[in-house]
mmCIF file of all heavy atoms in Angstrom:
data_model
loop_
_atom_site.group_PDB
_atom_site.id
_atom_site.type_symbol
_atom_site.label_atom_id
_atom_site.label_comp_id
_atom_site.label_asym_id
_atom_site.label_seq_id
_atom_site.Cartn_x
_atom_site.Cartn_y
_atom_site.Cartn_z
ATOM 1 N N MET A 27 67.339 174.829 143.802
ATOM 2 C CA MET A 27 67.510 176.136 143.173
ATOM 3 C C MET A 27 66.787 177.231 143.964
ATOM 4 O O MET A 27 67.287 178.350 144.081
ATOM 5 C CB MET A 27 67.021 176.088 141.729
ATOM 6 C CG MET A 27 67.814 175.137 140.844
ATOM 7 S SD MET A 27 69.593 175.480 140.788
ATOM 8 C CE MET A 27 69.623 176.950 139.776
ATOM 9 N N ASP A 49 78.172 191.971 163.925
ATOM 10 C CA ASP A 49 76.858 192.042 164.567
ATOM 11 C C ASP A 49 76.332 190.614 164.772
ATOM 12 O O ASP A 49 75.559 190.097 163.969
ATOM 13 C CB ASP A 49 75.911 192.867 163.699
ATOM 14 C CG ASP A 49 74.545 193.078 164.346
ATOM 15 O OD1 ASP A 49 74.319 192.537 165.440
ATOM 16 O OD2 ASP A 49 73.721 193.776 163.748
ATOM 17 N N LEU A 291 44.934 185.819 162.276
ATOM 18 C CA LEU A 291 44.696 186.883 163.247
ATOM 19 C C LEU A 291 44.228 186.312 164.579
ATOM 20 O O LEU A 291 44.601 186.806 165.650
ATOM 21 C CB LEU A 291 43.650 187.865 162.704
ATOM 22 C CG LEU A 291 44.138 188.851 161.646
ATOM 23 C CD1 LEU A 291 42.964 189.626 161.071
ATOM 24 C CD2 LEU A 291 45.189 189.801 162.203
#
Side-chain angles (χ1 to χ4, degrees):
M27 296 303 286
D49 184 357
L291 283 172

